[in-house]
Amino acid sequence: DWTSDVCASDLVWSLAEAEARVLSRLNVLVVLLAGLTLAAAALAVASTFAARVMGRGAEIALMRACGASASQVTLLLGAEILALGAAGGLLGALLAAGMVRGLGQAVFGTPLEATPALLPLALGGSLAVAALGAVWPVRRALALDPARELKEAG
């Protein structure tokens, strides 16, 4: 009977549309959580790097007192944070690849392979978060008064 086929078809389409709406909302939620996670990571990098830089206040002040320019100090601190960011990105990519395999095995019964884009995305993301998180500590380090810092350290 063609009427039951039409009713079944309408039911399937309405279920598919409802599922699409749910998946769309879940996608928004995942993107929002990813953004919040990146913001939290940038704040963690900023506070950690700020503590690291402020602990080296006398060293930075000595470099400035000996004639190092602001750009030279920025280059030194920037190279340090980028090296740490690259190491974190590489470690993160390796951990993510392992987790993808493990979760695939646990959920689907077969290990999943990580996409080739994982490494560049992890490195790019970690370098961007590290660079953004380092802006405030580097600016703060450049604002140090070398004479006062060296007097307090001495």
Side-chain angles (χ1 to χ4, degrees):
D1 180 56
W2 67 271
T3 56
S4 65
D5 289 341
V6 169
C7 291
S9 174
D10 289 343
L11 179 62
V12 168
W13 278 110
S14 67
L15 288 174
E17 288 172 353
E19 185 176 318
R21 284 192 302 273
V22 168
L23 289 176
S24 175
R25 289 179 182 156
L26 284 175
N27 191 32
V28 169
L29 181 62
V30 167
V31 168
L32 182 65
L33 288 174
L36 290 173
T37 302
L38 287 174
L43 287 173
V45 167
S47 65
T48 302
F49 198 59
R52 187 175 170 90
V53 166
M54 292 302 110
R56 294 168 49 195
E59 176 187 338
I60 293 167
L62 185 59
M63 286 190 289
R64 295 287 295 192
C66 289
S69 67
S71 60
Q72 289 171 323
V73 173
T74 301
L75 184 63
L76 177 72
L77 295 174
E80 181 179 326
I81 195 67
L82 290 179
L84 291 171
L90 184 59
L91 181 63
L94 292 173
L95 286 172
M99 289 179 68
V100 164
R101 282 186 73 77
L103 286 173
Q105 183 68 43
V107 174
F108 301 112
T110 183
L112 299 176
E113 293 300 320
T115 65
L118 177 64
L119 182 61
L121 286 173
L123 282 174
S126 67
L127 289 174
V129 167
L132 287 174
V135 170
W136 176 73
V138 169
R139 288 181 136 191
R140 191 163 170 199
L142 294 177
L144 292 175
D145 177 25
R148 193 186 66 184
E149 281 294 319
L150 290 173
K151 183 179 179 184
E152 289 176 6

